[in-house]
Amino acid sequence: MKPYLQVEDLTKSYGDRMLFDSITFGVNEGDKIGVIAKNGTGKSTLLRLLSGKESPDSGTVTFRNDLRVGFLDQAPEFEPGTTLMHNLLPAIYENDHEEWSREDRVRQMLSQLGIDDAGLTVDHLSGGQLKRAALARVLLGAPDLLILDEPTNHLDISTVEWLEGYLSRQRITLLMVTHDRYFLDRVCNKIIEIDQKQIYTYEGNFDYYLRRRAERMEALANEVTKAKNTLRKEQEWMRRQPQARAGKARYRINAFYDLKDKASVRYDEKNIDPTEVKSSYIGSKIFEAKGVNKRFGDKVILDDFTYTFARYEKVGIVGENGVGKSTFIKMLQGIVPQDSGEWNVGETVRFGYYSQEGLNLPEGKRVIDAITDITEDVVINGTTHYTPMQFLTRFLFSPADQQKYISTLSGGEMRRLHLAAVLITQPNFLILDEPTNDLDIMTLGILEEYLRNFKGCVIVISHDRFFLDSIVDHLFVMEGNGVIKDFPGNYTDYRDYLKEQKAAQAKEEQRQSSSDTQPQRRESAPRARRLTFKERKELEALTVEIDALTAEKDALEALFNSGEALDDVASKASRYSEVKDMLDEKEMRWLELSEIES
């Protein structure tokens, strides 16, 4: 394996806050690495150091000579007043064997990412469109090493799944920060964790990382417990020593202070602890929608939408960007008026709205003031009273953090403050619009646990498939043009259903095609298009790939059925699932191309 990147003894701090201390790791050709850490511990800072946008306090970052490196920032920048085509053309890596024109390559990449017009001006693009355009720009550069900072933020689920498949299939080396756990599990073959200012490397996907990390945390917790027990004995010894300590005692005294530091380390996974923040009582009548209609000009958001929401229901809303998901939940709360029809909301319903836009607070306001403005007395379970300062500590805001101005907060801190501001009112109907952006994986786990046990109703819009699978009972699938379908299952159930539908449709089309008579085929021949050179090459490659994947699948099945004891059964099971998915995808594409060829 060729070494692409070497990081040696890298140290970075801001004032007296140390992010990482003398960390060392490497990236080799073929690595697909996910970087995981709690918010505020240096994930994005590490990527900025690698990109040269910031300098370390000490240490070195060395890339292999002549290595093409592509960086995706969280907040990409484009030349104002210019079109997408203007910005993306210079990014293309020239390939002598590429038969397409440069403009065609830009249009194709944008189309795959859900943007159909390369002539759009960047000034008028949404955040999601800018992210997709930035992804297109970095992928068109065909980098040897791709460094991505939160690539799935602001993308709809279909685009996330396309990117997941693209990065899985490409022979590309990858280093990325993302909180999307399915993405990490299906794309990455290595996980790097930043914890306690150090680097820990796990040679496997996200599922493997979770298991090994749990073992590490248990071992560390045992070490801390042992250190605390030893510390008690050493404290007694220290109290017995005279003031003039010297000689052999000096070594033991120094060791005492080292032991004290070790015993004080906390391996607490909970960034937030909202488990005591309960919902208020909610009655049996929640809300009814009767014949609700909404459109903006020619764009239909809702068309005669009728639904009765039940007590304790948890619903996920999915659909392409722009179909009106956020508008739907704003209409429910009366923020956006409907054109016709009515919403009947129960008297006991108390909404808690976690919006995509975030808190609308003056930048000059402090964190503690923002919460105090909502209430000066936080009542939990009707009996326990907290001050705003005590309440904020449960969301990892120390007394010093509470004095920060809101304008200085990081993205993750803003999300935690927003969550605190929502839960402090004890809502019984939570409406969450993209709550997972900027939250670290540990915090997401706590939030999911809270929502699963939440004694109220939940509507959540999210592109995080793991989050949806963990929370929702069923889905509202917004298909566009006002159509909403109620699917009885979580997101993975829905994707499996779509796969089955697509396979059945392809099978039916193939059956109809084979039943056509020869004269009918000759009659329609002038209208049929032929495979392009690129498609013929793709069809040939697919035949080879399908044979190889089928052989691997059969071999794994034989291994599982053999009854042999397997040391790495988890990784083999993960690979088996991955091979099946790839085989389904490639067989569908083979059918599409072979239909054209016939």
Side-chain angles (χ1 to χ4, degrees):
M1 292 186 296
K2 298 177 184 176
Y4 274 5
L5 166 66
Q6 188 62 38
V7 173
E8 295 279 354
D9 297 324
L10 202 67
T11 297
K12 182 65 179 178
S13 61
Y14 293 107
D16 58 355
R17 182 180 168 214
M18 179 74 72
L19 291 180
F20 28 81
D21 185 12
S22 300
I23 63 172
T24 295
F25 67 93
V27 179
N28 295 319
E29 182 182 16
D31 283 347
K32 292 183 178 178
I33 301 173
V35 180
I36 293 177
K38 295 178 182 178
N39 282 339
T41 55
K43 299 187 298 291
S44 292
T45 299
L46 175 61
L47 297 197
R48 287 196 296 272
L49 291 172
L50 299 183
S51 69
K53 292 188 175 180
E54 288 194 34
S55 300
D57 300 340
S58 60
T60 58
V61 174
T62 307
F63 289 92
R64 199 193 76 190
N65 289 337
D66 302 322
L67 190 73
R68 292 194 311 279
V69 183
F71 287 95
L72 178 75
D73 290 324
Q74 275 200 55
E77 296 180 357
F78 292 90
E79 186 181 339
T82 59
T83 66
L84 285 174
M85 182 65 76
H86 173 84
N87 278 276
L88 269 57
L89 274 177
I92 292 177
Y93 172 67
E94 295 296 344
N95 185 340
D96 293 337
H97 302 290
E98 180 60 66
E99 297 187 355
W100 290 22
S101 73
R102 297 170 78 245
E103 289 81 3
D104 284 341
R105 287 158 68 187
V106 169
R107 292 189 188 96
Q108 183 211 27
M109 183 61 73
L110 285 174
S111 176
Q112 288 173 319
L113 287 163
I115 298 177
D116 296 325
D117 186 0
L120 291 173
T121 305
V122 296
D123 304 53
H124 303 110
L125 298 182
S126 67
Q129 287 173 316
L130 284 172
K131 193 62 172 278
R132 282 179 276 166
L135 270 168
R137 181 170 60 184
V138 75
L139 294 177
L140 284 167
D144 302 310
L145 171 60
L146 189 56
I147 299 179
L148 307 175
D149 194 356
E150 295 290 4
T152 65
N153 273 6
H154 308 296
L155 300 183
D156 56 43
I157 293 179
S158 61
T159 308
V160 170
E161 290 180 335
W162 177 86
L163 182 62
E164 182 181 278
Y166 180 88
L167 294 176
S168 298
R169 292 189 301 269
Q170 296 296 310
R171 296 174 62 86
I172 193 170
T173 303
L174 176 67
L175 178 72
M176 68 175 173
V177 168
T178 181
H179 63 261
D180 189 314
R181 287 150 291 181
Y182 281 157
F183 202 86
L184 285 165
D185 203 47
R186 294 166 184 170
V187 173
C188 294
N189 55 27
K190 184 183 292 187
I191 301 293
I192 286 179
E193 181 185 17
I194 305 173
D195 187 35
Q196 302 290 330
K197 308 181 187 67
Q198 296 299 315
I199 283 282
Y200 298 89
T201 301
Y202 302 83
E203 298 284 345
N205 64 5
F206 181 70
D207 181 65
Y208 175 81
Y209 154 77
L210 285 178
R211 287 183 282 109
R212 293 304 303 271
R213 185 180 191 278
E215 294 169 6
R216 183 173 73 84
M217 298 309 294
E218 184 179 357
L220 288 171
N222 291 337
E223 282 185 27
V224 171
T225 301
K226 184 178 178 181
K228 285 179 178 178
N229 292 335
T230 307
L231 183 63
R232 292 191 195 100
K233 298 175 185 176
E234 292 299 287
Q235 283 173 326
E236 293 175 8
W237 179 83
M238 287 286 285
R239 282 194 293 269
R240 292 197 303 268
Q241 297 309 301
Q243 291 299 315
R245 300 182 178 103
K248 287 177 78 173
R250 177 61 57 192
Y251 170 79
R252 190 169 178 181
I253 292 165
N254 291 337
F256 167 80
Y257 288 112
D258 291 340
L259 186 65
K260 192 173 182 181
D261 289 339
K262 188 174 183 179
S264 66
V265 173
R266 290 185 62 217
Y267 293 100
D268 186 1
E269 293 298 278
K270 293 198 174 185
N271 268 10
I272 59 171
D273 186 10
T275 51
E276 292 184 7
V277 185
K278 306 299 182 185
S279 62
S280 56
Y281 169 78
I282 189 167
S284 57
K285 180 181 178 181
I286 311 304
F287 82 76
E288 294 176 323
K290 294 183 177 179
V292 178
N293 294 281
K294 182 66 181 179
R295 67 173 60 216
F296 294 104
D298 295 334
K299 183 176 181 179
V300 181
I301 304 299
L302 292 182
D303 183 16
D304 194 29
F305 176 70
T306 298
Y307 187 80
T308 300
F309 209 86
R311 201 179 190 185
Y312 307 139
E313 203 168 324
K314 293 181 173 69
V315 181
I317 301 181
V318 298
E320 303 293 325
N321 283 345
V323 295
K325 300 188 294 292
S326 295
T327 301
F328 176 88
I329 59 176
K330 287 176 180 176
M331 290 173 65
L332 167 60
Q333 299 170 84
I335 299 171
V336 173
Q338 65 268 28
D339 297 337
S340 60
E342 59 184 27
W343 303 95
N344 293 322
V345 181
E347 292 181 2
T348 62
V349 171
R350 183 186 294 176
F351 289 120
Y353 180 34
Y354 188 96
S355 69
Q356 193 171 168
E357 292 82 7
L359 291 171
N360 184 20
L361 297 170
E363 291 191 352
K365 192 176 285 290
R366 298 178 191 271
V367 170
I368 185 65
D369 297 331
I371 295 299
T372 304
D373 285 349
I374 298 172
T375 180
E376 294 186 5
D377 183 27
V378 187
V379 183
I380 305 298
N381 293 333
T383 55
T384 306
H385 292 254
Y386 284 158
T387 66
M389 180 173 285
Q390 289 171 324
F391 183 77
L392 279 168
T393 60
R394 305 192 70 78
F395 290 80
L396 208 69
F397 286 101
S398 67
D401 289 336
Q402 294 177 32
Q403 298 303 317
K404 287 181 179 178
Y405 286 102
I406 288 170
S407 59
T408 67
L409 297 181
S410 67
E413 288 172 325
M414 279 296 294
R415 287 286 173 174
R416 275 191 278 121
L417 178 60
H418 192 177
L419 192 61
V422 170
L423 297 184
I424 201 173
T425 62
Q426 290 186 272
N428 52 30
F429 196 134
L430 282 172
I431 297 177
L432 311 174
D433 191 355
E434 294 293 1
T436 65
N437 286 349
D438 297 316
L439 289 183
D440 60 56
I441 288 172
M442 293 75 174
T443 304
L444 282 174
I446 305 301
L447 180 57
E448 285 161 358
E449 181 184 1
Y450 170 73
L451 292 174
R452 280 194 294 269
N453 298 315
F454 181 71
K455 299 302 181 185
C457 297
V458 177
I459 290 180
V460 57
I461 298 172
S462 180
H463 66 269
D464 189 321
R465 298 155 294 171
F466 192 104
F467 190 79
L468 287 172
D469 282 352
S470 300
I471 302 305
V472 307
D473 307 312
H474 66 109
L475 299 174
F476 284 163
V477 182
M478 298 186 71
E479 298 185 341
N481 203 33
V483 177
I484 297 182
K485 290 188 177 178
D486 187 4
F487 180 81
N490 62 23
Y491 184 75
T492 295
D493 296 333
Y494 175 61
R495 292 302 294 168
D496 290 343
Y497 164 77
L498 289 182
K499 274 185 181 178
E500 290 171 7
Q501 293 291 100
K502 191 174 180 181
Q505 182 182 352
K507 190 174 181 179
E508 176 62 21
E509 289 174 355
Q510 187 182 30
R511 187 191 66 77
Q512 290 180 1
S513 175
S514 63
S515 67
D516 287 343
T517 63
Q518 190 66 29
Q520 287 175 319
R521 284 200 296 270
R522 281 200 297 270
E523 185 180 331
S524 61
R527 294 195 302 271
R529 78 172 183 86
R530 298 170 64 91
L531 288 178
T532 64
F533 174 80
K534 189 178 181 69
E535 286 172 333
R536 283 199 302 275
K537 288 293 185 185
E538 183 184 0
L539 185 61
E540 292 170 8
L542 280 169
T543 303
V544 175
E545 290 169 356
I546 287 170
D547 288 345
L549 287 169
T550 301
E552 185 178 359
K553 176 173 167 286
D554 292 344
L556 286 168
E557 286 176 346
L559 190 62
F560 294 147
N561 295 330
S562 67
E564 295 179 22
L566 303 175
D567 294 333
D568 54 348
V569 65
S571 64
K572 282 187 169 57
S574 175
R575 177 58 184 168
Y576 179 73
S577 177
E578 182 182 321
V579 167
K580 278 186 65 181
D581 288 344
M582 290 169 65
L583 199 52
D584 288 344
E585 181 182 337
K586 291 182 186 298
E587 284 176 343
M588 287 300 304
R589 180 59 178 159
W590 186 91
L591 281 173
E592 292 173 10
L593 293 175
S594 60
E595 224 174 281
I596 298 170
E597 182 73 2
S598 62

